[in-house]
Amino acid sequence: MIFAKVIGTIVSSQKDESLNGKKLLLCKEVDYKGNPLKSYHIAVDAVQAGEGSFVLLSFGSSARMTEATKNAPIDAVIIAIIDDIQITQTLK
Amino acid sequence: MKLGIVIGVVWATKKVKEINGCRMYIVQPISTKGKKTDTPLVVADPQNIAASGDKVIYVTSSDATQAFESGFAPVNASIVELVDEIS
Amino acid sequence: MFLARVEKKVVSSKKHSAYNGRIVFIVQPILPDGIAIGNEWVAIDYVGAGIGDVVVCGGAPGVAKTVFNLNIAPIRTLIMAVVDKINYRDI
């Protein structure tokens, strides 16, 4: 799972039937402080995230293990909207 | 299965219902000597066994979903054991 | 999943039975602004993409099995959607 920020939406009319009615969001990977990293991901929205949301992305075959994405041809899903991250320890 | 230490907590109220009630932590992978071995990652705690500062064992990839009782959860890493001591 | 542009089509006569009748494309991963990034990938199309289209690609173990209803599917990357438009604001 990684942290990401939703930066946009993908409009697509030609897609698998099981993806109909699901939002494809363009996300940019960030670190836990919210600083943007380099990679972009496209993920299916399972929690009604909006543009600018700080979210948690899940990948791979696990991404199909939600009600919304069961048996859909996807490999990335937004599983949570993050309110806050608390760092309690720092290691050397 | 890997060794790590819980260094942070992720607060999220809006989650998919498969992982409702499951806490999320930031875990730093460490060696047995306590040295960092990799970059920190987000890990789910399906059995609610860990807390901040604890040494834990976590599993990644598709095994992570097996840590949930339902075996059906969209996670990539799960805490499975709390480490008391390594002898 | 990632964004990519469909670059070339692959033609082959001898293939694994799971690939029979499927269209194989070479895709180039791109950034949202259209700049190519990284190496080319091979992807199977089943949504009707054409050369030059911007598409959404991806794949995970088991996805091709479900989509094509096969018992054995040695297929990793699929073209999952053809992109009409991207609305975004980079950070």
Side-chain angles (χ1 to χ4, degrees):
Chain A
M1 294 174 277
I2 62 157
F3 298 120
K5 217 155 221 170
V6 179
I7 60 166
T9 52
I10 307 280
V11 185
S12 158
S13 46
Q14 227 171 311
K15 55 186 174 188
D16 189 78
E17 280 167 21
S18 53
L19 287 178
N20 281 346
K22 294 189 179 65
K23 260 192 294 175
L24 290 176
L25 297 180
L26 182 63
C27 303
K28 190 164 193 180
E29 187 174 350
V30 297
D31 63 11
Y32 58 81
K33 291 173 198 139
N35 302 325
L37 302 175
K38 275 182 184 161
S39 55
Y40 294 86
H41 300 278
I42 298 165
V44 174
D45 181 18
V47 288
Q48 281 87 48
E51 220 163 298
S53 300
F54 188 24
V55 295
L56 196 57
L57 288 191
S58 185
F59 290 102
S61 53
S62 310
R64 287 183 301 143
M65 299 208 174
T66 74
E67 197 90 315
T69 58
K70 211 175 168 184
N71 293 333
I74 63 143
D75 73 349
V77 67
I78 295 174
I79 59 165
I81 299 176
I82 293 165
D83 304 325
D84 193 19
I85 295 170
Q86 251 180 348
I87 296 296
T88 51
Q89 298 235 331
T90 43
L91 288 188
K92 269 178 231 158
Chain B
M1 282 151 64
K2 284 176 186 155
L3 187 65
I5 184 162
V6 179
I7 60 163
V9 191
V10 179
W11 297 103
T13 32
K14 212 168 177 188
K15 289 189 267 203
V16 292
K17 70 171 192 288
E18 284 77 9
I19 56 164
N20 257 346
C22 161
R23 284 206 168 174
M24 300 285 192
Y25 292 109
I26 298 180
V27 170
Q28 166 71 58
I30 53 168
S31 66
T32 49
K33 288 184 182 125
K35 285 262 158 64
K36 278 186 200 178
T37 54
D38 211 341
T39 49
L41 72 164
V42 197
V43 179
D45 184 10
Q47 325 216 354
N48 288 326
I49 51 176
S52 248
D54 285 347
K55 266 188 196 167
V56 293
I57 291 176
Y58 64 94
V59 291
T60 51
S61 179
S62 63
D63 299 323
T65 61
Q66 302 302 316
F68 283 74
E69 229 159 75
S70 57
F72 188 80
V75 296
N76 293 143
S78 301
I79 292 173
V80 288
E81 257 183 83
L82 191 64
V83 177
D84 293 327
E85 190 190 19
I86 301 170
S87 54
Chain C
M1 290 94 85
F2 56 87
L3 281 173
R5 198 184 299 109
V6 180
E7 301 260 276
K8 290 164 192 155
K9 191 175 170 179
V10 178
V11 184
S12 71
S13 49
K14 271 189 188 168
K15 45 191 160 186
H16 190 277
S17 59
Y19 282 70
N20 279 344
R22 314 217 185 279
I23 304 163
V24 182
F25 280 123
I26 305 277
V27 297
Q28 169 68 56
I30 56 168
L31 294 175
D33 50 8
I35 295 166
I37 179 171
N39 294 330
E40 292 162 324
W41 285 63
V42 180
I44 299 262
D45 174 44
Y46 76 109
V47 289
I51 288 174
D53 284 351
V54 174
V55 293
V56 176
C57 286
V63 171
K65 265 197 228 175
T66 327
V67 170
F68 298 132
N69 227 338
L70 294 170
N71 293 327
I72 307 163
I75 296 170
R76 176 69 191 230
T77 314
L78 294 170
I79 294 177
M80 292 162 169
V82 180
V83 176
D84 299 331
K85 197 174 169 231
I86 309 170
N87 302 316
Y88 81 108
R89 206 171 57 211
D90 212 339
I91 50 172

